Amino acid sequence: NASLLGILQHPDGTVLKQLQPPPRGPREQEFYNKVYDSDCCDRILLELREYLPKYFGVWSPPTAPNDIYLKLEDVTRKFNKPCIMDVKIGQKSYDPYASAEKIQQQVSKYPLMEEIGFLVLGMRVYHVSSDSYETQNQHYGRSLTKETVKDGISKFFHSGYCLRKDVIAASIQKVEKILEWFEGQTQLNFYASSLLFVYEGSCQATTVRLGDVTLAEKRRVPKGLLSGGDVLEYNNNIHVINSTENGKIEASVGKGLSKFYALHKKSCSKRHHSQLSLKVENSEQDNVWKSSTCITQEHLNGNVLPQLEKVFYHMPAEPKESAKVEVRMIDFAHVFPSNTKDEGYIYGLKNLITVLQNILDN
């Protein structure tokens, strides 16, 4: 799934992005070094880290020490069927130092950039109905006009069965956070930089990585259950579960859980059926999986219901938070120091939010 972005996936859960020729590559490397400097105490840059892939320095293959790669977090890794969209943001996709020729080349690629403020560079959407991916490239994005951009982007949120309004709502919230950051900073301007949107396309199985262990949550609708209902079916004994203070989970539960859970599920109101998810959130440190009290087979009685609730139900107050969605800023070969707000990027973000909100409302 990284082919869309032209980067290599590394087995350790990072991606390798080859450094572009100077000045672009070194500029991007310098940007990451600045933001991720261990001595950094600038709150603007520290907050910016929340919106970027994590950066792990540079890497070179032993056979070609002059080939430099940026080692970055693979934002798609925690998804089973990641749906990915890359949207270039801003009114200008050329930087202030671009030659007349470069400006002409960029403008001719998408004359509407100034007016729309963003451009879809590509998308890859998983269709549940056909169990296959649909891919669109830059030509698709460049063919979009003011009139068709809304429909063009809504394609990304369509599973083949339905429009994923939960994902759109969650995406809007995340883009709004990035907009807030831009409204509060006057030290960096971004050109030809993108937002990467990723969400879970699969509703059949949600995979959760615990170190090297992969747990699949399978769903099926047994006969005699309310329509729209679904029950977790565990094929083997599953080794998850254990609520620690910080809400992380691990441990070992036998197959009796399946029945217990099914009974409990029936008594839940129907509106929660679509929001069921076994949600195990990864945290910064790898040591969050430290063990505390296990819920074992013998303890599966009434008094652990609250802990099981925590484990099995992710039932937010508002459904819009239930979607597993990532929105990250990527591509920093044209980031420059500044002393003004980045009005072009802000314009693009606001326009994109408006389009997303229109898709959601209609």
Side-chain angles (χ1 to χ4, degrees):
N1 55 17
S3 60
L4 175 72
L5 314 169
I7 47 184
L8 305 170
Q9 278 175 312
H10 191 288
D12 69 2
T14 61
V15 289
L16 298 168
K17 178 182 180 181
Q18 189 158 20
L19 216 59
Q20 299 173 67
R24 290 173 301 163
R27 201 186 291 128
E28 181 161 38
Q29 184 182 350
E30 197 185 320
F31 169 80
Y32 275 113
N33 284 339
K34 180 178 171 160
V35 175
Y36 283 94
D37 186 341
S38 55
D39 296 331
C40 175
C41 51
D42 178 337
R43 64 169 191 85
I44 294 288
L45 298 183
L46 292 173
E47 189 194 333
L48 177 58
R49 291 179 187 179
E50 293 174 39
Y51 312 121
L52 309 184
K54 289 191 192 70
Y55 171 62
F56 302 101
V58 292
W59 177 87
S60 295
T63 50
N66 296 331
D67 286 356
I68 300 174
Y69 291 81
L70 298 170
K71 201 162 158 46
L72 301 165
E73 171 190 7
D74 179 358
V75 181
T76 69
R77 186 172 192 246
K78 65 180 183 186
F79 296 91
N80 184 24
K81 299 285 185 189
C83 298
I84 305 168
M85 177 169 66
D86 183 341
V87 184
K88 190 191 281 192
I89 307 287
Q91 288 178 282
K92 297 180 168 71
S93 54
Y94 52 88
D95 67 49
Y97 303 94
S99 65
E101 189 187 358
K102 177 71 177 173
I103 293 173
Q104 181 48 47
Q105 179 219 350
Q106 285 297 320
V107 172
S108 64
K109 272 187 183 174
Y110 193 57
L112 285 171
M113 195 76 183
E114 192 81 33
E115 206 176 335
I116 293 179
F118 60 84
L119 167 63
V120 177
L121 292 179
M123 65 171 74
R124 185 166 176 271
V125 188
Y126 176 72
H127 284 171
V128 182
S129 41
S130 58
D131 185 27
S132 62
Y133 281 98
E134 183 186 345
T135 305
Q136 302 291 351
N137 63 14
Q138 287 196 31
H139 300 290
Y140 173 79
R142 287 191 217 133
S143 71
L144 299 177
T145 64
K146 277 188 303 183
E147 291 71 39
T148 61
V149 71
K150 181 186 146 190
D151 289 341
I153 284 188
S154 69
K155 200 190 232 327
F156 174 63
F157 298 103
H158 210 286
S159 70
Y161 279 131
C162 65
L163 186 65
R164 291 290 304 275
K165 291 201 165 193
D166 56 331
V167 174
I168 302 167
S171 299
I172 292 170
Q173 280 187 325
K174 297 202 176 235
V175 178
E176 280 173 342
K177 289 287 290 175
I178 293 170
L179 174 59
E180 262 174 56
W181 181 83
F182 270 91
E183 292 283 18
Q185 71 90 21
T186 55
Q187 54 176 291
L188 292 170
N189 281 3
F190 294 74
Y191 301 89
S193 186
S194 288
L195 286 184
L196 186 71
F197 290 77
V198 190
Y199 72 89
E200 181 56 74
S202 154
C203 58
Q204 296 307 108
T206 307
T207 9
V208 175
R209 282 191 175 83
L210 291 174
D212 295 324
V213 184
T214 301
L215 305 167
E217 168 197 318
K218 303 261 184 204
R219 300 185 181 178
R220 66 186 184 94
V221 181
K223 292 188 190 78
L225 201 66
L226 294 164
S227 63
D230 54 11
V231 158
L232 271 179
E233 187 66 21
Y234 284 100
N235 300 341
N236 309 311
N237 288 356
I238 188 159
H239 301 287
V240 211
I241 320 271
N242 173 28
S243 238
T244 61
E245 311 74 72
N246 57 3
K248 305 296 172 210
I249 305 162
E250 86 183 325
S252 129
V253 176
K255 54 180 179 264
L257 185 54
S258 178
K259 270 187 209 134
F260 173 88
Y261 175 67
L263 289 170
H264 179 56
K265 184 83 178 61
K266 269 191 172 170
S267 65
C268 278
S269 70
K270 191 176 167 189
R271 82 183 177 85
H272 292 316
H273 285 311
S274 60
Q275 289 160 35
L276 168 71
S277 75
L278 176 63
K279 189 170 170 40
V280 180
E281 293 203 346
N282 270 319
S283 145
E284 304 286 6
Q285 313 84 0
D286 287 329
N287 63 2
V288 294
W289 301 102
K290 283 208 275 293
S291 182
S292 74
T293 50
C294 276
I295 305 172
T296 52
Q297 184 67 43
E298 307 85 78
H299 296 126
L300 278 178
N301 51 32
N303 64 7
V304 294
L305 199 56
Q307 280 143 298
L308 282 170
E309 289 264 64
K310 247 188 263 174
V311 172
F312 277 115
Y313 286 102
H314 173 52
M315 290 186 177
E318 297 177 84
K320 66 184 172 193
E321 288 178 11
S322 66
K324 189 160 69 163
V325 178
E326 286 286 356
V327 179
R328 303 285 184 97
M329 296 168 61
I330 57 168
D331 296 342
F332 306 111
H334 303 275
V335 178
F336 293 89
S338 160
N339 49 19
T340 59
K341 275 194 200 180
D342 190 340
E343 295 297 352
Y345 200 109
I346 288 172
Y347 175 89
L349 288 179
K350 285 182 172 172
N351 246 7
L352 181 57
I353 290 168
T354 302
V355 170
L356 292 173
Q357 196 62 56
N358 284 340
I359 297 169
L360 191 59
D361 296 341
N362 305 321

